Amino acid sequence: MLQTAIEMDKAAVILKLLGDKTRLSMLKILDDNDCCVCEFVEIFKASQPSISQHLRKLRDVGLVKEDRRGQWIFYSVNQNSEYYPFIGKILEQLPDQSYKLKELEKQGTRITCC
Amino acid sequence: MLQTAIEMDKAAVILKLLGDKTRLSMLKILDDNDCCVCEFVEIFKASQPSISQHLRKLRDVGLVKEDRRGQWIFYSVNQNSEYYPFIGKILEQLPDQSYKLKELEKQGTRITCC
DNA sequence: TAATTATATAACGATTTGCTTATATAATCA
DNA sequence: TGATTATATAAGCAAATCGTTATATAATTA
């Protein structure tokens, strides 16, 4: 094995977090783009608190970080996370989700909002 | 991407299954060895029904298969599963668990039982 | 054939999870 | 400054999860 293996316990915690459709898609999207909460609300047709709570879980283990820009808070993948190499190998096996952001742009929802 | 990406929904289901310390360790062990239920009971210091139920979940999605040999039922990773490439990339990042089987052998628990 | 061993399954309870509603905070705009 | 917009958080509830105990089934052994 090239890099140090992740501990079994920690791996299970991270995988459980990824074991939710919304959070998994979020991470896949964030791997390529910064994104704010209201965009996720639009993309997943979910409530704002629901999205916020998912993001909090990802942030609590350091997988994503937040960055306030004026009124908005943008989230991005934390590439310095000790888990980044681990989840990277998972995310790269998932289908590209960039069409979801393109849809927002088409709707004008991306620009209007953020 | 070289191989076809796994669907997002299916990936989340599989990751949730792997998001349990016992099941994750089981799969890592099974990736290298066949193993019977009583060995897992010994390895994880868990009850027999608990182990059986974990194995059932893995079997229900086709990640493992069973093979009765007399009194015992041996489990192994199902390499024909459509998810095998996906979980393979995860398992290869986990620390080797073969010492757990070696401990059983030292105790004589492996031979006695299976 | 009766007792034992290995495993599966069902029923139940405690805990966790993920959503909802309600409310608080922070930034912007009129 | 007051209203609006974006976000976070708390409380409560329903569903899912995971272990336990009890029991059933299948193979083996005495």
Side-chain angles (χ1 to χ4, degrees):
Chain A
M1 210 164 320
L2 289 176
Q3 71 210 8
T4 313
I6 186 174
E7 278 170 44
M8 199 60 86
D9 295 29
K10 290 181 178 178
V13 169
I14 297 303
L15 291 170
K16 180 184 269 185
L17 272 178
L18 302 204
D20 173 278
K21 204 176 115 179
T22 303
R23 285 192 296 267
L24 187 61
S25 305
M26 278 177 163
L27 277 175
K28 178 67 181 179
I29 292 171
L30 289 176
D31 204 23
D32 298 316
N33 315 268
D34 290 12
C35 226
C36 72
V37 179
C38 57
E39 289 176 309
F40 282 131
V41 168
E42 187 64 25
I43 289 174
F44 296 114
K45 308 290 179 209
S47 72
Q48 177 268 315
S50 171
I51 296 296
S52 256
Q53 285 157 13
H54 282 303
L55 285 167
R56 187 179 212 294
K57 288 182 185 179
L58 295 175
R59 206 188 45 196
D60 281 350
V61 298
L63 282 181
V64 304
K65 54 187 183 183
E66 57 173 49
D67 169 29
R68 181 177 277 277
R69 296 184 206 158
Q71 204 171 0
W72 298 283
I73 297 180
F74 279 76
Y75 282 85
S76 55
V77 165
N78 176 14
Q79 301 194 328
N80 294 320
S81 163
E82 61 173 312
Y83 308 121
Y84 184 67
F86 182 63
I87 67 161
K89 293 261 170 59
I90 296 171
L91 297 181
E92 74 189 11
Q93 298 185 75
L94 300 177
D96 185 68
Q97 300 293 299
S98 59
Y99 72 93
K100 294 202 167 166
L101 286 174
K102 293 212 183 85
E103 278 172 12
L104 287 197
E105 278 160 28
K106 236 182 278 175
Q107 288 180 231
T109 333
R110 188 152 207 213
I111 302 141
T112 308
C113 165
C114 310
Chain B
M1 209 160 326
L2 289 176
Q3 71 210 7
T4 313
I6 186 175
E7 277 169 43
M8 199 59 86
D9 295 30
K10 290 182 177 178
V13 169
I14 297 302
L15 291 170
K16 181 184 269 186
L17 271 178
L18 301 204
D20 173 277
K21 203 174 116 180
T22 302
R23 285 192 296 266
L24 187 61
S25 305
M26 276 177 163
L27 277 174
K28 178 69 181 180
I29 292 171
L30 289 176
D31 203 24
D32 298 316
N33 316 268
D34 290 11
C35 227
C36 72
V37 179
C38 57
E39 289 176 310
F40 283 131
V41 169
E42 186 64 25
I43 289 174
F44 297 114
K45 308 292 181 207
S47 73
Q48 178 268 316
S50 171
I51 295 296
S52 255
Q53 284 158 12
H54 282 303
L55 285 167
R56 188 179 211 294
K57 288 181 185 179
L58 296 175
R59 205 189 46 196
D60 281 350
V61 298
L63 282 180
V64 305
K65 55 187 181 182
E66 59 173 46
D67 169 30
R68 180 177 279 275
R69 296 184 206 158
Q71 204 170 2
W72 299 283
I73 296 180
F74 279 76
Y75 281 85
S76 56
V77 166
N78 176 14
Q79 302 194 329
N80 294 322
S81 163
E82 59 174 313
Y83 309 121
Y84 184 66
F86 182 63
I87 68 162
K89 293 261 170 57
I90 296 171
L91 297 181
E92 72 189 13
Q93 298 186 75
L94 300 177
D96 185 69
Q97 300 293 300
S98 59
Y99 71 95
K100 295 203 165 165
L101 286 174
K102 292 210 185 84
E103 278 172 13
L104 287 197
E105 278 160 26
K106 236 182 278 174
Q107 288 180 230
T109 334
R110 189 153 203 213
I111 301 143
T112 308
C113 165
C114 311

